[in-house]
C-alpha cells in the first residue's frame, strides 16, 4: 500500500486531521527559490535536472508497480521535485528580463539615464525616504532609443510637492545603483535633478487615493495617539505615527495592527460572512460576496505587493474555514505559496511574505489546539481570544528575532488587551473612510467612535513598552532563530500541542526546554553584562548605533558634544543612557534631514548650546525653537566659525557664508576637531565630520579650504556612492566612521565610499556591522588610540 492513499484515507476518516501533502512541496520549493534567486545562472540547469528527475520518477512508478515500497517513496517525493523544477524554471525565465543589459551596465558603472517609473505606493508631500516603483521606460544614451520594460526598483527619494497616488508615472534622470543578488528590487534609482509627473494614476486607483486623503483629513481633526493610529488601523496608512509611538507599537508586538495583514483582511471577510449568514445567504453566495469585499478592501488600502499577499493569505483562510475543516486549509496554503513563488520568486526572501505565511499557518494549525487546551482552565471565548494572538506570535517570533534580537514578553498580553478594540477601530474607521466624500458629518462621527479604541491601543502600547523587563534579550542571527524555534517546539510539546508526548515525555521535555531557556537567557544577559565591563570608560569619540542616520559624540575634559541625532528616538536615548550622558554641552545639527534631526526630542531641555546649518523652511525653524525653549543658546554658523569643547577646538569649514548654497545635504556643516595646546590622555583624536556632502560639494570644500590630515573621518552621507576620493586622501584618516542602518534599502555603504576610506589608508567602522563604537586613548601613549566595538571585528586590511 502506497503512502499517499494512506494519508488520503486518514484525512477522510478524521475531519480535523491535518492534510500535509502539499506542505513539503511548498517548503522545498520555497527553499529552492531562496537559494536560486541569488544564483539565477544555475536556475535553468536546476529546472532541467528536477523536471527530468520527475519524469524519471513517473517511469519508475509505472515499472515498479508490483513493489509497493519503491513507488510509495517516489510518489511521496515526486511533488517536491516537481515544485523545485517549476520554481527553478520560473526564475530562469524571469531573470534575463529582470535585469536587462542596459540596466546592468548602468548599475556597474554607477551611471545615469532618463527613465519613466510608476509608483507602487502613495507618496505624501514632504515624506521622508523613498518608495517602491516599477521602471517602465529607460533611454539608451548611445542610441537615443527608449526601451520598454517592467522592472521592480526602489526610488531612494521622491521629492513630492503634492500627493502622488499609487500608479503615478514620473520622468527624471535617474542614477542607477545595484542591489544585492536575490534582492526583491532589481536596482536602486536616485533622482538627479527635477522629477516630472508625466502620467496620473489610473482612474480607479486615483479615486481610491482621493478617498484615503479625505479620510486622513477627517482623522486629523482628532488628537493624540488615537488620531495617529486610526488611519493605520483602518486603511494601513501610518504616515501620522510618530517614531516614538512606532517604537512603542513594535516593543509591544502591536505594530502588525497598523500594517495591512491577513488579520485585517480576515476582519473584512469575516464581517461579510457573518452578515451573509444572518441574512440566510447560501454558502457559495457568502464566499463570493466576501471575496468581492476583499478585492474592494485591497483597492482601498492600495494594492501594493505586500497587501496583495495578505489578501491571498486571507482568501486561503476564508476558503478553508468556509469548508468547515480548518485542517484542510494547509494544502490550499501550500498551493497559494507555490503560486506566489512561481509568479514572483524574488518574494521568497521578503520578511513580509514569510510572516504572512507563518501567521496563516498558525491560524490554521495552532489556534484551534491551543484554544482547546486553554479551554480546560478558562471559558471558551477567552481561550480563543488568547489562542489566536498567541499562535501568531509563536509562529512568527523566530523570524522576528532576526529583525530584533529580543522577545517581547508583554506582547501576548498586549495583543489580548488590544484584540477587542482592533476590529472596532478597523470596521468603524473603514466606514468613516467610505462616508468621508458623501456624508462628512457622519464620517466625523464614525471617526470619533473609532478614535476611542485606537486610543486604547495606543495606551496599551506605551504601557507595555515601558514595563520593566518587557524585552528579553536573545541571541541574534540565524543561530538565535533556530534556538528559539527549538524552545518553542519544546514548550508546545509540553503543552500537548500536538498531543504526541506521554506524561513522562512531557516532563522530560519541560525539564530540557526550561534548562535550555534558562541557559540561553543567562548567557545572553551575561554576555551583555561582560560586554559592558569591557567597554572603555575613558572614550573620547563614540558612534552610536541608531540605524540609518548619524549620531556621533565627542568628549573632552568632561564636556560632551553630539553631532546630529539620527531618526530613532528610542535608539538615541538608549545610546545616551548606555554611556551615562544626561546633558550635552554642545549639539551640532549639520542639516535638517530626518535621519539627522528626527530624534532631537530626546535632547530638548538637555543642551547648553546648539549650532546649526542653513534653514530650509519653517519646520527647521521649529526644531531650533524647541531647543531654545528648552534652555539652549541657538546660533546658525557658517565657514570660519570656531569654538572650544573642553580641551578640544572645533572649526566650521563648510558651508561658505554666501547665498550660493541651497539648504540640504550639500549645505551640511563640516567641522574639524583638533586638540588645543598640549595633548594629554584627555584629548580626543582629530576628526573631520563631513555631514552629508555629495561629491560636487566635497570638491568645493577641497577648493575652498586646505584639508589637513586627521585621525578620524566621519564618512559623508552614510557611505553613499557620491564621494570624492581626493578629499579622503587629503584627510588621510586611519578610521572612517559610517553611520548606517543594517539592511537599509539605499545600498549604503557603497563600494565607492569604502574604497575611498581604505585607499587613503583607513579602516571603515560601520554601525550596522559593529554597533556602538568607542574610540579611547591607549594607556601611556597620548598619540595612540584603541577602538572598541559592540560586535564584530574591524577589518584592518580594509
Amino acid at each position: 500500500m502506497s503512502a499517499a492513499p494512506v494519508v488520503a484515507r486518514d484525512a477522510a476518516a478524521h475531519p480535523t486531521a491535518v492534510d500535509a501533502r502539499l506542505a513539503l512541496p511548498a517548503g522545498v520549493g520555497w527553499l529552492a527559490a531562496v537559494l536560486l534567486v541569488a544564483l539565477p545562472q544555475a536556475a535553468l540547469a536546476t529546472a532541467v535536472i528536477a523536471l527530468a528527475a520527475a519524469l524519471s520518477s513517473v517511469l519508475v512508478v509505472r515499472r515498479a508497480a508490483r513493489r509497493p515500497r519503491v513507488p510509495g517513496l517516489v510518489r511521496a517525493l515526486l511533488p517536491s521535485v516537481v515544485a523545485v523544477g517549476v520554481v527553478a524554471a520560473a526564475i530562469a525565465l524571469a531573470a534575463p528580463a529582470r535585469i536587462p543589459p542596459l540596466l546592468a551596465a548602468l548599475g556597474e558603472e554607477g551611471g545615469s539615464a532618463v527613465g519613466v517609473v510608476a509608483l507602487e505606493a502613495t507618496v505624501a508631500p514632504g515624506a521622508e525616504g523613498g518608495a517602491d516603483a516599477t521602471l517602465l521606460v529607460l533611454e539608451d544614451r548611445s542610441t537615443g532609443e527608449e526601451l520598454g520594460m517592467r522592472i521592480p526598483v526602489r526610488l531612494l527619494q521622491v521629492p513630492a510637492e503634492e500627493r502622488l497616488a499609487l500608479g503615478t508615472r514620473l520622468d527624471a534622470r535617474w542614477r542607477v545603483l545595484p542591489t544585492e543578488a536575490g534582492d526583491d528590487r532589481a536596482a536602486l534609482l536616485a533622482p538627479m535633478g527635477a522629477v516630472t509627473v508625466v502620467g496620473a494614476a489610473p482612474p480607479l486607483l486615483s479615486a481610491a487615493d482621493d478617498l484615503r486623503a479625505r479620510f486622513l483629513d477627517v482623522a486629523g481633526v482628532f488628537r493624540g495617539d488615537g488620531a495617529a493610529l486610526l488611519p493605520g488601523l483602518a486603511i494601513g496608512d501610518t504616515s501620522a505615527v510618530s517614531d516614538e509611538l512606532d517604537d512603542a507599537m513594535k516593543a509591544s508586538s502591536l505594530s502588525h495592527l497598523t500594517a495591512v495583514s491577513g488579520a485585517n483582511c480576515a476582519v473584512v471577510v469575516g464581517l461579510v460572512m457573518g452578515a451573509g449568514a444572518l441574512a440566510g445567504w447560501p454558502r457559495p453566495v457568502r464566499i463570493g460576496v466576501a471575496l468581492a469585499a476583499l478585492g474592494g478592501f485591497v483597492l482601498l488600502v492600495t494594492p501594493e505587493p505586500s497587501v496583495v499577499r495578505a489578501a491571498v493569505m486571507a482568501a486561503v483562510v476564508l476558503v478553508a474555514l468556509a469548508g468547515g475543516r480548518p485542517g484542510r486549509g494547509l494544502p490550499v496554503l501550500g498551493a497559494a505559496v507555490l503560486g506566489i513563488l512561481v509568479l514572483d520568486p524574488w518574494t521568497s526572501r521578503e520578511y513580509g511574505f514569510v510572516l504572512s505565511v507563518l501567521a496563516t499557518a498558525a491560524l490554521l494549525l495552532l489556534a484551534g489546539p491551543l484554544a482547546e487546551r486553554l479551554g480546560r482552565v478558562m471559558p471558551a471565548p477567552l481561550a480563543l481570544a488568547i489562542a489566536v494572538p498567541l499562535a501568531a506570535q509563536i509562529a512568527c517570533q523566530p523570524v522576528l528575532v532576526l529583525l530584533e534580537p529580543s522577545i517581547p514578553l508583554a506582547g501576548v498580553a498586549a495583543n489580548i488587551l488590544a484584540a477587542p478594540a482592533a476590529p472596532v477601530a478597523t470596521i468603524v474607521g473603514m466606514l468613516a473612510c467610505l462616508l468621508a466624500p458623501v456624508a462628512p458629518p457622519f464620517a466625523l462621527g464614525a471617526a470619533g467612535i473609532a478614535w476611542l479604541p485606537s486610543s486604547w491601543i495606543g495606551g496599551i502600547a506605551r504601557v507595555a513598552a515601558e514595563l520593566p523587563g518587557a524585552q528579553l534579550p536573545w541571541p541574534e542571527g540565524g543561530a538565535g532563530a533556530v534556538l528559539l524555534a527549538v524552545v518553542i517546539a519544546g514548550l508546545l510539546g509540553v503543552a500537548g500541542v500536538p498531543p504526541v508526548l506521554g506524561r513522562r515525555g512531557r516532563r522530560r521535555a519541560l525539564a530540557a526546554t526550561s534548562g535550555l531557556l534558562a541557559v540561553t537567557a543567562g548567557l545572553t544577559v551575561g554576555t551583555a553584562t561582560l560586554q559592558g565591563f569591557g567597554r572603555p570608560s575613558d572614550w573620547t569619540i563614540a558612534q552610536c548605533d541608531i540605524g540609518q542616520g548619524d549620531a556621533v559624540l565627542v568628549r573632552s575634559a568632561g564636556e560632551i558634544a553630539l553631532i546630529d541625532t539620527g531618526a530613532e528616538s528610542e535608539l538615541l536615548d538608549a545610546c545616551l543612557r548606555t554611556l551615562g550622558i544626561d546633558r550635552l554641552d554642545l549639539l551640532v545639527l549639520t542639516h535638517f534631514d530626518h535621519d539627522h534631526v528626527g530624534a532631537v526630542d530626546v535632547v530638548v531641555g538637555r543642551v547648553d548650546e546648539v549650532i546649526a546649518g542653513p534653514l530650509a523652511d519653517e519646520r527647521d525653524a521649529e526644531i531650533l525653537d524647541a531647543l531654545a525653549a528648552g534652555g539652549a543658546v541657538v546660533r546658525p554658523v557658517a565657514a570660519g566659525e570656531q569654538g572650544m569643547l573642553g580641551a578640544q577646538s572645533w572649526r566650521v569649514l563648510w558651508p561658505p557664508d554666501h547665498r550660493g548654497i541651497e539648504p540640504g545635504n550639500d549645505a551640511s556643516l563640516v567641522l574639524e576637531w583638533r586638540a588645543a595646546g598640549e595633548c594629554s590622555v584627555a584629548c580626543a583624536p582629530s576628526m573631520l565630520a563631513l555631514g552629508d556632502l555629495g561629491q560636487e560639494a566635497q570638491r568645493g570644500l577641497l577648493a575652498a579650504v586646505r584639508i589637513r590630515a586627521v585621525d578620524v573621518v566621519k564618512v559623508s552621507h552614510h557611505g553613499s556612492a557620491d564621494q570624492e576620493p581626493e578629499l579622503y586622501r587629503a584627510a588621510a584618516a586611519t578610521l572612517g566612521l559610517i553611520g548606517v542602518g543594517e539592511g537599509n534599502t539605499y545600498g549604503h555603504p557603497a563600494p565607492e565610499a569604502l574604497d575611498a576610506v581604505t585607499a587613503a589608508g583607513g579602516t571603515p567602522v560601520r554601525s550596522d556591522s559593529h554597533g556602538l563604537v568607542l574610540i579611547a586613548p591607549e594607556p601611556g601613549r597620548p598619540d595612540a588610540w584603541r577602538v572598541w566595538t559592540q560586535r564584530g571585528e574591524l577589518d584592518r586590511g580594509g
Side-chain angles (χ1 to χ4, degrees), residues 520-543:
T520 302
L523 289 177
T524 304
V525 175
T527 300
T529 303
L530 291 175
Q531 193 178 62
F533 286 143
R535 188 169 57 231
S537 60
D538 56 345
W539 61 270
T540 54
I541 292 179
Q543 176 171 262

Side-chain angles (χ1 to χ4, degrees), residues 411-439:
V412 174
N415 274 274
I416 292 170
L417 293 173
V424 176
T426 298
I427 295 169
V428 181
M430 284 182 57
L431 178 62
C433 182
L434 296 174
L435 290 173
V438 295

Side-chain angles (χ1 to χ4, degrees), residues 13-27:
H14 302 282
T16 59
V18 174
D19 186 349
R21 284 173 294 179
L22 267 179
L24 180 61

Side-chain angles (χ1 to χ4, degrees), residues 24-433:
L24 180 61
V28 172
W30 192 349
L31 178 61
V34 169
L35 298 175
L36 291 176
V37 291
L39 298 168
Q41 63 274 15
L44 181 59
T46 303
V48 171
I49 294 172
L51 295 177
L55 180 60
S56 301
S57 300
V58 173
L59 296 176
V60 168
V61 171
R62 294 185 62 183
R63 292 180 180 180
R66 295 183 179 181
R67 292 185 291 172
R69 187 173 298 177
V70 173
L73 178 62
V74 172
R75 285 174 181 166
L77 296 178
L78 181 58
S80 297
V81 176
V82 172
V84 171
V86 172
V87 169
I91 295 172
L93 292 172
R98 182 178 173 84
I99 307 182
L102 174 59
L103 188 66
L106 290 172
E108 292 174 359
E109 301 167 0
S112 65
V114 174
V116 177
V117 301
L119 293 175
E120 294 181 9
T122 296
V123 178
E128 299 288 341
D132 287 343
T134 301
L135 179 61
L136 302 177
V137 178
L138 195 63
E139 182 185 56
D140 188 336
R141 296 181 65 180
S142 61
T143 64
E145 181 183 5
E146 292 186 344
L147 304 177
M149 56 190 69
R150 293 194 65 84
I151 309 297
V153 295
R154 174 75 181 176
L155 307 184
L156 298 184
Q157 185 181 6
V158 186
E161 297 182 359
E162 58 183 10
R163 186 179 177 90
L164 302 176
L166 180 148
T168 301
R169 286 176 292 162
L170 307 175
D171 187 10
R173 175 171 293 281
W174 307 96
R175 182 170 187 175
V176 180
L177 302 173
T179 56
E180 294 183 0
D183 198 290
D184 66 309
R185 300 282 113 180
L188 305 174
L189 302 185
M192 301 179 65
V195 178
T196 306
V197 176
V198 294
L204 203 56
L205 293 178
S206 180
D209 184 70
D210 182 63
L211 189 60
R212 291 190 298 272
R214 289 174 182 269
F215 176 57
L216 289 174
D217 291 339
V218 170
V221 172
F222 302 93
R223 294 290 180 266
D225 291 343
L229 290 174
L230 179 55
L233 292 164
I235 59 173
D237 190 316
T238 58
S239 57
V241 177
S242 66
D243 293 334
E244 184 183 4
L245 179 56
D246 182 57
D247 291 339
M249 293 290 286
K250 290 177 180 176
S252 57
S253 292
L254 294 175
S255 59
H256 64 92
L257 296 178
T258 55
V260 180
S261 63
N264 300 86
C265 297
V267 168
V268 175
V269 298
L271 184 65
V272 175
M273 291 288 288
L278 292 175
W281 295 347
R283 179 177 294 174
V285 174
R286 295 201 305 271
I287 294 175
V289 175
L291 289 174
L294 181 60
F297 177 70
V298 169
L299 184 63
L300 176 63
V301 301
T302 70
E304 301 175 29
S306 60
V307 175
V308 174
R309 287 196 302 272
V312 170
M313 295 306 163
V316 168
V317 176
L318 174 64
V319 173
L321 297 181
R325 292 179 288 185
R328 297 295 180 88
L330 197 59
V332 182
L333 176 60
V337 168
L338 286 174
I340 291 174
L341 293 178
V342 169
L343 292 174
D344 185 5
W346 282 264
T347 300
S348 60
R349 292 189 169 202
E350 291 186 20
Y351 280 107
F353 175 69
V354 177
L355 294 172
S356 292
V357 174
L358 292 178
T360 305
L363 181 60
L364 292 170
L365 300 179
L366 284 180
L370 284 173
E372 188 273 331
R373 298 293 295 181
L374 293 172
R376 299 179 182 181
V377 295
M378 63 181 66
L382 179 59
L384 183 61
I386 295 175
V388 170
L390 180 60
Q393 188 161 346
I394 284 173
C396 295
Q397 196 60 52
V399 176
L400 294 174
V401 82
L402 295 173
L403 301 173
E404 175 62 37
S406 63
I407 300 174
L409 298 180
V412 174
N415 274 274
I416 292 170
L417 293 173
V424 176
T426 298
I427 295 169
V428 181
M430 284 182 57
L431 178 62
C433 182

